[in-house]
Amino acid sequence: MPHDPDPPPAKKFKPGSVFFRLDKNKPVMLLTRKENATSPLDIQRKQLPIYQAKLQLLNQLRTLHSAILIGETGSGKTTQIPQYLYEAGIGRQGIIAITQPRRVAAISLAGRVAEEKRTQLGKLVGYTVRFEDVTSSETKLKFMTDGMLLREAMGDPLLLRYTVVVLDEAHERTVNTDVLFSVVKTAQRRRREFSKVPLKVIVMSATMDVDLFSEYFNKSPVLYLEGRQHPIQIYYTKQPQSDYLHAALVSIFQIHQEAPPSHDILVFMTGQEEIEALARTCRDIAKHLPDSCGPMVVFPLYASLPPVQQLRVFQPAPKGCRKVILSTNIAETSVTISRIKYVIDTGMVKAKRFNPGSGLEVLAVQRVSKAQAWQRAGRAGREDSGSCYRLYTEEEFDNLVPMTVPEIQRCNLAGVMLQLTALGIPDVMNFDFMSKPPPEAVHSAVEHLELLGAVEMKEDQVHLTALGKKMARFPLEPKYAKTILLSTNYFCSEEILSIVSLLSVDNVLYNPPARREEVLAARKKFISSEGDHMTLLNIYRAFKKVSGNKEWCRENFVNSRSMGLVKEVQAQLKDICLKLNLKLESCGGDTASIRRCLAHGMFINTAELQLDGTYLALDTHQPVAIHPSSVLFQAKPAYVVFNELLHTSRYYMRDLCLVDADWLLDAAPEYFGCKLRTTKS
């Protein structure tokens, strides 16, 4: 492939441009496409690099119990391997499961494979994701999120419905994926011991630590699939970028002014708020560009976006119009969005980090790993040759960590330990993780669950309590599950379900910096001096009163999409409550009952006002501050419970609720006996 000294957009750099240079070493042409995207599906399938290795692959997979398959992004492994197995009669006596870390990938892949098999989605090919099951008794190829297969394992630890489990995008190393590795490995072993139908396990990714995976799956052979479908050129900035958002904006419009309108752009960003803000800016700028630039349509893509909105990114833009997709790392893997020619990689990702020593779980923006960077670049070469613009220098790329640190080693394990105990794992303290979390993180999680009353220790073994069994039924953090279960004691279950649903969805409100005064004026009528939870509840009640009117949402800076998802989550949580025979009641205007319930369920996240006017997190003795976005920012309440900590220049508490010391003592007398200043002599 020829290498130009500069990328095409460099010809007409505008003031404030982001300068790139081409990396001359990385991109190589491995396979050339012979037909265009309008070819019949069977011809397209035969053009995929994986097709050349079909017979050798099947010969290997037929004889192996477990295999690790490495194939470049765009090689066709995710859509073709399940079909090859089924067509060759491998695993036909049961179901072939293909797991994905993300729901949008599971849904879109199932749709593509159903199309290739010329079958209606939900028949031969189907999918199961949280809150949605599109399968039938005919389904033999089942795409699903790893969390859904884990839920199935609670009722069927041997996974007897399945003959093959394909664990795709294994490099992502989400908590669910890592737990699933062990669950599947155990099911495979126990089925052999009980002389059941064998379970075949295939672990796939474009990038992973193959030695680690092979060793974990009993020294499984590693199969390498060479070749990608289309070449990708990689460009780096000449200088480090101090503001990656500005750099992304400039890059979008450089490309928009130069490239044909049929070439779409995918931009990787860190979170919903950032994406929605940049989407509005792009739309505003596009309106004022000369007609020669052509129109632009901008789509956001992030995990908390309602499924219908997520799937809009797969729809082609109107003729002569460019599609720009602003996405979190949700689009990194297994998702083919047609017409993507350019990828802009900010090099940043938002991730949670948990410090078991301090007990703090912090959400922070950080650099991607090299593996993530290559996954992102791969989105540009799915249907044709493409370009990836990295908003960082080649030197910065060289200094990135090779692989993403597994989530299991950087998160609060309380929810994981609760689920493992619910799965009936005999010794959760020594669970067979591929990458073991720090022992102190495991102990901290079990102590957390003991404090909540979810588990108890008997002879060094962790056992679920009756309360813990109910908590495990909710797909929520343990503190939220307990708060819901306690709400019946305070006759406020309707309000608590609303609050937990609101907290489970990202950014139900938006706060454009340029309209700060308007936002403050609009919010004034909803603000509660008792904290953010009560304020959110007031807004949600008003939203329901106007039946989600979009004009009302615009006037009050409420994200109507997110509010729609809140209603969906609430309906699902209500369904679980009814199955548990919980009485659903409303306390009306009795906000003290709601706050008392929150104090009893979330007491571990408590902060106390100190004599010098600062706050201290009582569980960890970490100095913390009230986030400027909180309605309590200017107040100085003696005690608050909070949802999470955000780390920027300091540790900020987000989503706070005013509580009384007496309620905290009542919730956990031994725990708070020596912690609260009001109890000290």
Side-chain angles (χ1 to χ4, degrees), residues 98-112 121 125-129 142-146 333-335:
I98 310 96
T99 69
Q100 293 291 326
R102 304 175 195 286
R103 61 179 290 146
V104 68
I107 295 169
S108 62
L109 286 166
R112 174 65 187 188
L121 190 58
V125 184
Y127 67 85
T128 310
V129 297
K142 183 175 174 182
F143 289 82
M144 58 205 307
T145 52
D146 37 24
T333 53
S334 283
V335 176

Side-chain angles (χ1 to χ4, degrees), residues 450-489:
E450 276 189 290
L451 274 170
L452 290 173
V455 302
E456 55 189 4
M457 295 294 293
K458 292 179 185 173
E459 299 173 357
D460 292 333
Q461 296 289 307
V462 182
H463 296 271
L464 271 187
T465 61
L467 175 65
K469 283 178 186 172
K470 290 179 181 177
M471 286 169 63
R473 296 283 295 275
F474 291 92
L476 297 167
E477 286 182 46
K479 64 185 178 191
Y480 294 150
K482 173 153 187 192
T483 305
I484 289 173
L485 290 168
L486 285 174
S487 65
T488 55
N489 298 346

Side-chain angles (χ1 to χ4, degrees), residues 342-359:
Y342 301 101
V343 164
I344 297 171
D345 177 13
T346 60
M348 308 303 285
V349 66
K350 193 180 283 183
K352 278 188 176 178
R353 289 202 164 273
F354 180 69
N355 182 335
S358 67

Side-chain angles (χ1 to χ4, degrees), residues 81-82 85 96-100 164-168 200-204:
I81 290 285
L85 293 170
I96 297 171
I98 310 96
T99 69
Q100 293 291 326
V164 182
V165 173
V166 180
L167 301 165
D168 196 16
K200 195 180 291 291
V201 178
I202 301 168
V203 184
M204 301 198 309

Side-chain angles (χ1 to χ4, degrees), residues 67-225:
I68 313 298
L69 179 62
I70 302 290
E72 280 203 61
T73 299
S75 61
K77 61 188 181 301
T78 302
T79 55
Q80 301 309 302
I81 290 285
Q83 294 186 69
Y84 291 170
L85 293 170
Y86 178 76
E87 289 160 5
I90 300 171
R92 271 205 185 187
Q93 61 270 57
I95 298 171
I96 297 171
I98 310 96
T99 69
Q100 293 291 326
R102 304 175 195 286
R103 61 179 290 146
V104 68
I107 295 169
S108 62
L109 286 166
R112 174 65 187 188
V113 173
E115 188 185 359
E116 290 184 3
K117 296 301 291 178
R118 295 175 177 81
T119 180
Q120 185 183 331
L121 190 58
K123 294 202 170 177
L124 174 67
V125 184
Y127 67 85
T128 310
V129 297
R130 188 179 167 200
F131 308 146
E132 199 176 351
D133 183 0
V134 183
T135 61
S136 65
S137 56
E138 299 172 48
T139 302
K140 291 290 183 182
L141 301 179
K142 183 175 174 182
F143 289 82
M144 58 205 307
T145 52
D146 37 24
M148 289 310 298
L149 189 56
L150 266 182
R151 292 242 148 217
E152 283 194 35
M154 283 187 191
D156 175 19
L158 296 185
L159 299 172
L160 290 170
R161 298 175 64 203
Y162 302 96
T163 41
V164 182
V165 173
V166 180
L167 301 165
D168 196 16
E169 304 302 354
H171 76 280
E172 283 223 5
R173 304 297 302 277
T174 64
V175 167
N176 280 342
T177 307
D178 267 29
V179 173
L180 197 55
F181 289 155
S182 179
V183 168
V184 169
K185 181 179 164 185
T186 303
Q188 188 182 42
R189 187 192 74 241
R190 291 181 66 199
R191 275 164 67 159
R192 276 200 303 269
E193 291 169 358
F194 296 139
S195 302
K196 301 283 186 186
V197 175
L199 178 65
K200 195 180 291 291
V201 178
I202 301 168
V203 184
M204 301 198 309
S205 182
T207 47
M208 68 167 117
D209 184 341
V210 290
D211 293 337
L212 179 68
F213 278 81
S214 174
E215 190 68 31
Y216 183 75
F217 284 98
N218 306 310
K219 295 188 166 59
S220 294
V222 180
L223 311 178
Y224 289 91
L225 181 67

